[in-house]
Structures are given as structure tokens and as C-alpha cells.
Amino acid sequence: MLSIAVELLAGRYTATAFNDWAAPEWPPHPARLFSALVATWADEEIPAPDERSALSWLEAQSSPQLSCSADHQVARRTPVTVFVPVNDPTALTRDVHRSSYQAVLDAEAVLADANEARAAARAEKALAAARSKAINDAHKAGTASGIESASQIAGVLEILPEHRSKQGRWFPTVVPADPEVWFSWPEADPTDNQLVFLDRLCSRVGRLGHSSTFVSCRATAEAPPEPTLVPGVGDGMTLRVPRHGMIDRLEQDFAAHRGRVQGPLPSGSAVYGPPGTVKTVAPTPLLGGDWIVLSTPRPLVPGGPEALRLTRSLDLARAVRNALLSHSAQPVPEVLSGHQRGERPSAALQRPHLAVVALPNVGSRHSDGAVMGVALVLPAGASLDERRAVEDAITAWSATNGLTVVLGSSGKGPLRFQLVAARLDPASGADRDGPTVVTERRATLRRTTWCRPSAEWTTATPIALDRFPGDLGSPRAAVREGAEQEAKVTIRRACQFVGLPEPTEVEVDSASFLAAVPPANRKGRRGGFSAFTAGTSGQVRLGVHARLRFAEPVAGPMLIGAGRYLGYGLCLPLDRSTSQP
């Protein structure tokens, strides 16, 4: 048995939910506690190897049980917007950190790795040059030229407190009936030394969540109070939990940005519920991993279109994928390219890889079909390194041009869009913990909108058939019906290919079964979706809309057919909240 008791010294807990900035987090997530322990360990001048070893052992344990105040025993304060000064105004005319200062860090790393005297001498010379250049660049960037613009002058004045700009912030807070929270691992068997090291770390943890949440922590082998939340049961809340490799990832992230960038916690997730509840598990497809959502595309050209139409979803997905490939590490990781490395780099990967999926506003009578964002869909069981490869490509892309994509246009020149506000949406359905009232457009970007279990699904984008079924538009009934039957067989096979059971019923049509969704591509028709062209063979795949019914509810994301990795074959689950009248 291992238990960690956390006492909220002020009787309250201030922390923001990771999937809703206006909502408080309760209970404290196990991954947040683990991250606090890692930060406490790394804050020492010389971090102790024995303490790190104990943390590595802890992250490899199963998800802990929690003993805390139940949801109905927690008072939630209404967040009030507080305007606070911006922390870091600058008087520099340009940012020299990414160029000059990074060159110094790179030169220091080369010097540290030098194994012989000659190499060390060269590295020392390069380091001296890099430091001299950084000093000169900083001096130039901070010296007035006399031709500064009004905005640059205002930026300089913001250094003074009376000119400091302010931004709104809010601090979601809860007040539990019991100020003590226990995290327990009933099956863990720490050694005496591991328990000592963990308790020593806990004794140095001063806060959890926001800096105003003062805590007192201790690690013990004594039995905790009866658990109120246990992992792997029910269909309740989703909590972030430690996973193998998390401490390595935290160290790598800190080495990359030195704490200057706030990103998503590199954690796993687990569904928790009260003890004794039963969890219903629906079949999940192979592309059932975490999502990274890039929200609403906004036009960068004044007077441009207010929304990106659904018929451009394939163009958007290809543009986003190309941007990720061009900004990723080289050679491109397999999870991004979808091709094998090695002797045959063009060979298709024989396992699922990243899918880039445009998310349209569809499903209700008021839907307009506008694309509200893009989901980067990881395969189920994606490794920490694979997820990191995707996140690193996003970071590099954002640093280069702010997640800007350029789409070709007919007659009006290229369309430039900027994707904004990346967020993580875990595979375990964390959005169930968010607000109960969600606008239709915001719901479009939620994973649960597209992945909740349902026995009936229908296409939001057409399915690109793997095989040509015949003439679906033939005036001859026998030919047309034969082609429809062949298309249904292909769709059933496509469902099994992505790890789902075979549907019991399939309907196909060129027209959509959803409002605001254009028809599938047909030769000679305008206003519909573009035909999907296979990347390697160049073969054009026929697209159809479909409605599928399964014997039992299955979970999404439902992405089937030849174009699934670029968002074709995206289906919406139908239930009382989404079915058409």
C-alpha cells in the first residue's frame, strides 16, 4: 500500500480545468500531483538521483484511487474576472531569443559533448563568438534609433508600472467539505527507501494547482479512508494520471523552453467513478486515440470569407498535413508521414497513423456546414514519442508563421487562414466534465460530439470507396441496384478494416442524410465534395454518403474509407440530440 495525503491548508482549491478555462478542477488530478512532485525534485540545486528513481517507480504504477469530498459536497465559487498587469513588457525592437540566445545554448551543448582537446578548443571559440554576437544583438535591439513607431514607443512605456497594460484573468475555486484528499495505490509495494524518498519529496511540496493553494503533503503506507473514486469503472469523470515516461517528457519540455512556455501536461487519462459502478465499453476504432484540436480557421485578408465551407475540408486537411510534415523533425516520423522509414521510405505504413480531420458544424436544423476547426487524431495506443512528434511539429509551425495555412482559390487568389488555440482532447472523453450548456459551434470542436457511442451513424463527409462499385447513377435500375449493393459491401468491409464490427444496415446515396452537408462528388455535378485522389497511385475514388446502423452502440471517431486520414468518411453519431427531424 502507498498513500499520499494532501491537506488543503486554506480549505480551498484553486485550479483551472484543463478542458475549460472557466471551470474549476475537482478533485485534484493525479497527474497534477505527480507534476508537483517532479517540480519539487527538479527545484533543488542538485536533484537527488534516488528521489528521481522513486518518481520513475511511481509513474509506472496503476492509476490511484481517490478519497475526497464528493461532487455534491463541494461548493464552487463563481469566477470573477480580475484585470492584472502583463508580466513581461519589452523595450526591444526585436526578439533575439530565438536566434542569438539559442545559438549560445547550442554552442554550450556542443562544448559539453566535446571529447577531445581540439574539439573542445573549437567549441570554446564558437561559444565565445556566439556570446559576443548575442550581447551585440541585444544592445542593438535595445538602442533607440530615433525612428521608432508609435507602437514601439508605447511598448517601451509599458515597462513603467503606470503604463502597464492589463489583461483579464479568473481563478476558478472550490471549497470541499473535507480539506484532505488522499491518493492511494492499494497494490503498490514500495521499498522502505522508496517510501522515505517519496515522503521527503511530499514534505517539500508547498502548493498544488494555483500558487494560492497552499498544501501539506505526506507519503505513508497506512490505509487511507474509504475511496470515493476509483479508476476504470462507470462512465463518469476523466482525470489526468501519470504514465510511463512522464518524468522524461517533463524534463525534455523544460530543457526545450526553460519554463517560458505553458503547454499541455504530458499525462495519460483514466475514467473514474464511484466504487461498485459498472463501466460499459463500446467497441472503439483503431483511430481512437487522443485529439489535438486546432480551432476555428480565421481569414487573414480583410473582407475575406467569414467561414470555410465544408467542400474545402479536403484542401484544408491536406494543407495542415503538409504544414506538419514541413515543420516536423527530419526524417519525418512515421506517425506523421504514414510511410515506413528505412530502405523503402515510400512503402505505406502497415498500422494506423495520424489523421487530419476538418470538423464541420453539422447535425441540426440550424447548422451552416462551416468548418470550425481541425482535429489531429492519434491512433489508439500511440506512444509518448509519437504524440511528442506531433506536438513538436505544431510548436515549430506556430513559431514560424502562427499556424497559417494557404488554400488555393479559383479566380480570387489564394485564401490565407490562421488556426488558433490548440487544445488536447483525451481519448477517454474528458469533455464530459465540462459545462452542461455548450453552444452548437463550440460543441463541433468537442471530441464527444464525434466519438460518443451510438448504434446509428451518418456521414458528414463522403466515404471514398476502396473499390469502384459500378454506375451508381445509372438510369437502369438493375445496374444501379447492383452498384449500390457493391458499395454497401465495400463500406461494411471498411468498418471492419478500422477495427469496428460490421454494420447491420447500410444506406448509400449521393445526397447527404444531414442538413448543410453538400452531396458527394458525381461527374458533371457542381457544388459537391471534391473527389478523393489516392496519394501514391493517383487513383480517383468514388465518394458516397451513407447511413450505418450497428447491432450495439460503437464509439467513434467513425472515419472509414480510403480518405479517412484526411477527414473523408467522417461520420456523426445520431441520437436524440443530433438526429434530423
Side-chain angles (χ1 to χ4, degrees), residues 316-339:
L316 178 62
R318 283 197 165 116
V320 170
R321 181 178 183 272
N322 290 339
L324 292 173
L325 293 178
S326 63
H327 291 94
S328 73
Q330 300 297 323
V332 178
E334 291 181 347
V335 70
L336 281 168
S337 68
H339 292 83

Side-chain angles (χ1 to χ4, degrees), residues 5 15-16 37 45 50 107 124 135 138 162 168 176 238 258 272 276 302 329 332 363 382 443 467 471 539-540 563:
T16 300
L37 292 170
E45 184 174 354
D50 290 336
E124 287 178 352
I135 292 172
E162 60 268 26
T238 299
R258 311 301 297 180
Y272 278 73
V332 178
R467 299 173 58 182
D471 189 357
Q539 183 177 1
V540 177

Side-chain angles (χ1 to χ4, degrees), residues 297-301 308 312-324 326-327 374 397 401-410 412-419:
R298 297 189 303 194
L300 298 180
V301 180
L308 188 65
R312 300 300 302 274
S313 63
L314 183 60
D315 297 333
L316 178 62
R318 283 197 165 116
V320 170
R321 181 178 183 272
N322 290 339
L324 292 173
S326 63
H327 291 94
V374 177
W397 179 19
N401 64 4
L403 303 181
T404 299
V405 293
V406 181
L407 306 183
S409 177
S410 56
K412 297 183 180 180
L415 298 176
R416 293 172 57 84
F417 284 88
Q418 185 174 38
L419 300 173

Side-chain angles (χ1 to χ4, degrees), residues 148-188:
E148 282 75 23
S149 65
S151 61
Q152 287 174 325
I153 294 173
V156 172
L157 290 175
E158 282 187 3
I159 295 177
L160 302 175
E162 60 268 26
H163 294 281
R164 188 77 60 86
S165 62
K166 297 178 176 63
Q167 289 187 353
R169 292 191 63 192
W170 50 95
F171 305 95
T173 300
V174 298
V175 182
D178 185 353
E180 199 167 51
V181 181
W182 285 72
F183 301 82
S184 58
W185 293 261
E187 298 179 359

Side-chain angles (χ1 to χ4, degrees), residues 96-111 123 126-135:
V96 297
H97 169 262
R98 295 187 183 278
S99 55
S100 304
Y101 289 177
Q102 186 60 49
V104 173
L105 294 176
D106 293 342
E108 288 176 345
V110 172
L111 177 58
L127 177 58
R131 284 174 174 168
S132 177
K133 184 177 185 301
I135 292 172

Side-chain angles (χ1 to χ4, degrees), residues 34-89:
F34 183 81
S35 181
L37 292 170
V38 173
T40 300
W41 163 77
D43 196 44
E44 295 295 309
E45 184 174 354
I46 303 178
D50 290 336
E51 291 180 349
R52 191 193 190 285
S53 178
L55 289 171
S56 297
W57 172 84
L58 181 61
E59 73 176 5
Q61 304 305 305
S62 58
S63 301
Q65 299 179 355
L66 274 73
S67 303
C68 60
S69 297
D71 194 65
H72 67 278
Q73 298 173 317
V74 175
R76 286 169 167 77
R77 294 181 179 176
T78 302
V80 176
T81 302
V82 180
F83 288 89
V84 298
V86 176
N87 289 330
D88 299 312

